[in-house]
Amino acid sequence: MHPKLDFDRLYTDISASVASTIADISKLEVEHEDGKQRIGDMLGKLRSIQARFDDQLTDLQTHAEWDKFTLAFFGETNAGKSTIIESMRILFDEESRQQLLRENGQDVARYEEALETHVRAVQEGLAATYKEYADQIAAIKRDAAALAVVVREESSDRTRRKNWGYALAGMVIGIVVAVPATLLASGLL
């Protein structure tokens, strides 16, 4: 199991699913203006999601290093960047750092707290991103439900118009056939 292949496949599958959904929705034909508007809104939202997702996928494919573990830290002065870096060096058994740890063991708790704080910040950022996508997908789902109502009404209207047309054609045929037959039977024709 190689992480790069797993992530590539995951992101590619998601991107393909969004593209397939866009293609399917683009094929819908609706006469009703509200339905056309809803389809346009859904397609706009999906295209926006796909563009952002594909940009993120491209960045990931371009900048990700799967054979090495690389981290970058940035932030204000005294924000704890060096503390985290030193903690990671200790955790990954860098000998000079191990000696420093033996000499300053009491600072480990402070290092752990700083690391946990940063991990929580990353988790919160990911949660916010996932929530944004989930909210957009929920909006698309609502649009799809409203579109289904429009399509059902439109289909019902078509069926009703077709039935009225058949009824009217039947009356006209009935009149065309019945009037001459009645006139013939009466001897008027």
Side-chain angles (χ1 to χ4, degrees):
M1 181 168 117
H2 194 273
K4 181 181 183 343
L5 297 176
D6 292 342
F7 278 108
D8 282 350
R9 186 178 35 215
L10 172 68
Y11 285 114
T12 303
D13 289 350
I14 292 171
S15 182
S17 293
V18 172
S20 173
T21 302
I22 289 172
D24 290 344
I25 291 173
S26 296
K27 292 176 188 174
L28 294 176
E29 294 183 21
V30 178
E31 294 175 12
H32 195 276
E33 286 303 314
D34 186 42
K36 289 179 183 178
Q37 180 64 39
R38 291 203 184 269
I39 288 175
D41 291 346
M42 289 168 54
L43 287 172
K45 290 173 188 171
L46 282 170
R47 286 183 180 124
S48 171
I49 288 172
Q50 184 178 30
R52 287 180 30 222
F53 188 81
D54 287 347
D55 287 344
Q56 291 171 353
L57 176 59
T58 301
D59 285 346
L60 181 63
Q61 289 172 334
T62 302
H63 302 293
E65 293 182 20
W66 297 102
D67 297 330
K68 297 183 213 173
F69 184 67
T70 304
L71 290 176
F73 293 90
F74 60 93
E76 297 178 15
T77 303
N78 292 326
K81 300 177 295 293
S82 296
T83 303
I84 291 173
I85 292 168
E86 292 302 315
S87 297
M88 293 181 79
R89 286 180 171 167
I90 292 166
L91 289 172
F92 291 109
D93 292 329
E94 186 176 4
E95 184 55 41
S96 63
R97 303 308 183 224
Q98 289 292 334
Q99 178 62 32
L100 183 63
L101 177 60
R102 284 188 288 275
E103 294 171 3
N104 299 303
Q106 67 276 9
D107 291 335
V108 172
R110 187 169 45 100
Y111 293 143
E112 286 179 353
E113 287 177 26
L115 184 59
E116 287 175 6
T117 300
H118 287 286
V119 167
R120 277 193 300 277
V122 169
Q123 288 172 332
E124 289 169 2
L126 285 172
T129 300
Y130 293 149
K131 183 183 180 328
E132 180 184 345
Y133 281 125
D135 290 346
Q136 290 177 350
I137 290 170
I140 291 169
K141 195 173 182 179
R142 286 190 300 273
D143 285 344
L147 177 61
V149 170
V150 168
V151 168
R152 276 194 302 272
E153 289 173 358
E154 194 172 284
S155 175
S156 179
D157 288 345
R158 274 193 218 118
T159 302
R160 204 175 6 263
R161 283 193 306 264
K162 198 182 294 183
N163 288 341
W164 273 106
Y166 291 146
L168 186 58
M171 288 186 339
V172 169
I173 291 171
I175 291 171
V176 167
V177 170
V179 168
T182 303
L183 290 175
L184 275 174
S186 307
L188 297 173
L189 195 67

